[in-house]
């Protein structure tokens, strides 16, 4: 890292090769990285476009869950569309302008946090629907799902744009996607990111998951053979596990880099890049956990191999384009 002043403005020049001398060109032709991003792009794009085709076909009645899942699929799709340039970069090709690298990084991070907030909303909405099914106040609040989604889009991109422009003015990079997350690890940025972008959603998901499990256990219907209580509990646990698996490594790495930003090592930089890859993997896991395991989706969409790969069948009727939508 080289710091110099230009017209009274501090400009930080980041040279990744100084951190990892073996990568003097700044381009990591890692077969594993290219293979993973390629797989995420192909599978994730197919899964999410299939989900979007189904969700947009539900025009007669849209439940709150469909609203959240539609926006989640859109966010995941936008994130996926940034991956071809990452594949191009990690294959060892150069010539990518820095404004494109920064812009694609902005879209990826904004949609990653959009996914986090939308997953949290889905969990919270399910908890409210199950724990307070007769509350008029709760039902009226759940109907504001479209406004909540608009707020999430404004928040994620609105918070990312100032960071993007500040970074472009103050930081000069020598590489593209191989750079250190210098601005993101600043205390003024990393603390709100860890707290608002991950900590609060995680707490909400933990509390709501506990509430859902408790409600299922106490339900009189769950005591009968009409509902597979263990299957519902496994799906709740799977959703929480996917959230932690996808986003905990990235935020833990950000915290680590913020603590050791003056002494970043090559292994730490590699861990950061792999944590970004794992976060992108969430775009494949979301359809598995939230779309293809719902009963109505499986009954109305001919997904062939996907149905055989994921035979679990949710007992929830949340994603429903039929007559029961009015009960949501």
């Amino acid at each position: 890292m080289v710091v110099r002043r230009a017209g009274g403005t501090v400009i930080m020049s980041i040279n990744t090769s100084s951190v990892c001398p073996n990568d003097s060109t700044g381009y990591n032709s890692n077969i594993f990285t290219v293979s993973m991003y390629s797989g995420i792009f192909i599978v994730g794009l197919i899964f999410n476009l299939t989900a979007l085709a189904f969700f947009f076909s539900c025009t007669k009645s849209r439940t709150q869950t469909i609203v959240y899942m539609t926006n989640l699929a859109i966010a995941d799709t936008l994130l996926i569309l940034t991956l071809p340039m990452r594949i191009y970069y990690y294959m060892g090709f150069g010539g990518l302008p820095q404004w494109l690298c920064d812009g694609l990084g902005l879209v990826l991070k904004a949609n990653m946090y959009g996914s986090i907030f939308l997953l949290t909303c889905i969990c919270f909405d399910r908890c409210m629907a199950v724990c307070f099914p007769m509350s008029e106040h709760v039902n009226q609040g759940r109907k504001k799902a479209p406004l909540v989604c608009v707020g999430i889009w404004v928040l994620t991109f609105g918070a990312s744009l100032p960071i993007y422009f500040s970074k472009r003015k103050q930081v000069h990079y020598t590489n593209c996607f191989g750079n250190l997350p210098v601005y993101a690890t600043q205390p003024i940025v990393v603390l709100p990111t860890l707290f608002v972008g991950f900590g609060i959603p995680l707490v909400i998901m933990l509390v709501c998951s506990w509430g859902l499990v408790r409600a299922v256990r106490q339900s009189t219907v769950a005591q009968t053979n009409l509902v597979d209580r263990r299957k519902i509990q496994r799906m709740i646990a799977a959703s929480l596990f996917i959230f932690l698996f996808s986003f905990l490594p990235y935020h833990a790495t950000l915290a680590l880099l913020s603590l050791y930003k003056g002494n970043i090592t090559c292994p730490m930089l590699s861990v950061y890049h792999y944590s970004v890859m794992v976060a992108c993997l969430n775009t494949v896991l979301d359809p598995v956990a939230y779309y293809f395991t719902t009963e109505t989706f499986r009954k109305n969409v001919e997904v062939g191999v996907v149905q055989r790969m994921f035979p679990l069948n949710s007992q929830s009727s949340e994603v429903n384009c039929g007559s029961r939508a009015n009960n949501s």
Side-chain angles (χ1 to χ4, degrees):
M1 178 186 298
V2 179
V3 181
R4 65 180 188 274
R5 294 183 177 273
T9 302
V10 177
I11 300 177
M12 293 179 288
S13 178
I14 310 301
N15 189 345
T16 309
S17 62
S18 64
V19 178
C20 302
N22 293 332
D23 188 19
S24 59
T25 62
Y27 302 105
N28 185 359
S29 302
N30 188 291
I31 297 177
F32 175 75
T33 302
V34 172
S35 300
M36 284 297 299
Y37 275 127
S38 299
I40 293 171
F41 173 75
I42 295 172
V43 179
L45 190 63
I46 293 174
F47 280 8
N48 283 280
L49 289 181
T50 302
L52 284 174
F54 169 70
F55 293 145
F56 281 116
S57 69
C58 299
T59 55
K60 293 183 179 180
S61 58
R62 285 185 177 273
T63 66
Q64 286 75 29
T65 302
I66 288 180
V67 172
Y68 288 127
M69 286 188 176
T70 302
N71 282 269
L72 177 61
I74 292 173
D76 287 345
T77 302
L78 290 176
L79 189 154
I80 288 170
L81 293 178
T82 68
L83 299 185
M85 288 296 98
R86 287 183 178 267
I87 297 170
Y88 178 87
Y89 169 81
Y90 284 109
M91 287 180 67
F93 298 105
L96 293 177
Q98 192 59 49
W99 64 266
L100 178 61
C101 300
D102 293 339
L104 293 176
L106 165 69
V107 174
L108 186 146
K109 297 296 175 59
N111 284 283
M112 181 179 74
Y113 285 105
S115 297
I116 289 177
F117 293 141
L118 288 166
L119 290 171
T120 305
C121 288
I122 291 174
C123 187
F124 181 79
D125 181 73
R126 286 177 171 176
C127 183
M128 293 296 101
V130 172
C131 297
F132 307 99
M134 305 305 295
S135 173
E136 183 65 24
H137 179 72
V138 170
N139 290 331
Q140 290 298 322
R142 293 181 64 220
K143 292 180 180 179
K144 297 180 181 179
L147 293 178
V148 174
C149 292
V150 171
I152 289 174
W153 287 106
V154 172
L155 173 64
T156 52
F157 277 94
S160 301
L161 283 173
I163 296 176
Y164 169 76
F165 287 112
S166 298
K167 182 174 68 173
R168 284 184 60 80
K169 291 180 180 179
Q170 299 181 12
V171 181
H172 174 68
Y173 291 114
T174 59
N175 294 323
C176 186
F177 299 117
N179 294 313
L180 292 167
V182 177
Y183 194 86
T185 54
Q186 298 298 314
I188 194 174
V189 176
V190 71
L191 293 179
T193 298
L194 294 176
F195 183 69
V196 179
F198 181 72
I200 293 178
L202 176 59
V203 171
I204 293 175
M205 291 199 69
L206 288 172
V207 172
C208 290
S209 297
W210 173 82
L212 283 169
V213 172
R214 182 172 179 270
V216 169
R217 287 178 177 177
Q218 295 179 348
S219 173
T220 56
V221 178
Q223 307 304 322
T224 68
N225 294 327
L226 297 176
V227 175
D228 191 336
R229 183 176 65 179
R230 292 183 179 178
K231 183 176 290 185
I232 295 176
Q233 291 175 352
R234 286 198 301 268
M235 293 188 67
I236 294 172
S239 299
L240 187 59
F241 171 78
I242 289 174
F243 184 88
L244 289 171
F245 173 80
S246 300
F247 302 118
L248 179 59
Y250 173 78
H251 291 90
T253 304
L254 272 188
L256 179 66
L257 293 179
S258 67
L259 293 175
Y260 295 94
K261 58 185 178 181
N263 188 27
I264 302 297
T265 63
C266 187
M268 293 171 63
L269 181 61
S270 297
V271 169
Y272 168 74
H273 291 314
Y274 285 125
S275 71
V276 174
M277 182 194 305
V278 172
C280 293
L281 186 61
N282 180 256
T283 60
V284 175
L285 300 178
D286 282 344
V288 175
Y290 292 93
Y291 312 150
F292 299 148
T293 55
T294 57
E295 182 178 2
T296 305
F297 190 102
R298 286 161 50 84
K299 286 183 177 180
N300 289 275
V301 179
E302 186 65 32
V303 290
V305 176
V306 177
Q307 290 187 357
R308 292 191 292 272
M309 290 172 60
F310 310 109
L312 289 177
N313 195 19
S314 172
Q315 301 297 323
S316 172
S317 61
E318 288 174 322
V319 182
N320 196 334
C321 297
S323 58
R324 298 182 63 184
N326 294 329
N327 294 328
S328 299

